[in-house]
Amino acid sequence: MKNEKNTAKLPVPGKVKRGFRRYCTIVMALTLLGCCSMTAFAAGDPLQVINNLSDFIFGLIRAVGLILLGWGIVQVGLSLQSHDPSQRSNGFLTLAGGIIITFTKEILTLITG
């Protein structure tokens, strides 16, 4: 004798389906409206806004560079432990890339003067 479970769907009336669809539509519309409508505070000087955006973007780039720098240090350490030359070269390349990415703003400032 087998224990079989009946997995038949329960009948849902049409009015309930329409009501649920309307409810979901309203919730999604309010969520989208709440997420997309943000108050923007404008600064008096438009150049200051561009400088703030530039500082923010370079901060994100610096964070990615620091992550790569840390990962390169870990790779070099693991390659020295396991005596793997290909992993060592990848570690040094990642380390160099992390340094370059971390100091991108300073490098661009030196180039442009």
Side-chain angles (χ1 to χ4, degrees):
M1 200 152 113
K2 289 184 178 181
N3 290 334
E4 293 183 20
K5 292 184 180 180
N6 188 4
T7 58
K9 292 184 178 181
L10 294 174
V12 179
K15 286 185 178 182
V16 175
K17 281 184 184 179
R18 273 183 290 177
F20 184 69
R21 284 183 189 149
R22 287 182 184 165
Y23 171 75
C24 289
T25 304
I26 290 171
V27 168
M28 291 299 292
L30 289 176
T31 304
L32 185 65
L33 183 69
C35 290
C36 292
S37 63
M38 293 184 164
T39 305
F41 297 108
D45 185 20
L47 199 56
Q48 183 63 34
V49 174
I50 301 298
N51 288 335
N52 289 343
L53 180 63
S54 174
D55 289 340
F56 176 72
I57 290 173
F58 278 118
L60 289 177
I61 291 172
R62 181 173 296 246
V64 169
L66 287 173
I67 291 170
L68 282 174
L69 189 63
W71 179 246
I73 291 170
V74 168
Q75 275 189 328
V76 170
L78 289 174
S79 70
L80 291 174
Q81 182 182 6
S82 66
H83 303 292
D84 186 9
S86 65
Q87 186 180 7
R88 188 173 306 142
S89 66
N90 284 339
F92 280 119
L93 287 174
T94 306
L95 191 69
I99 290 172
I100 291 171
I101 292 173
T102 300
F103 296 109
T104 301
K105 186 173 184 179
E106 288 79 10
I107 292 170
L108 287 175
T109 304
L110 284 174
I111 291 172
T112 58

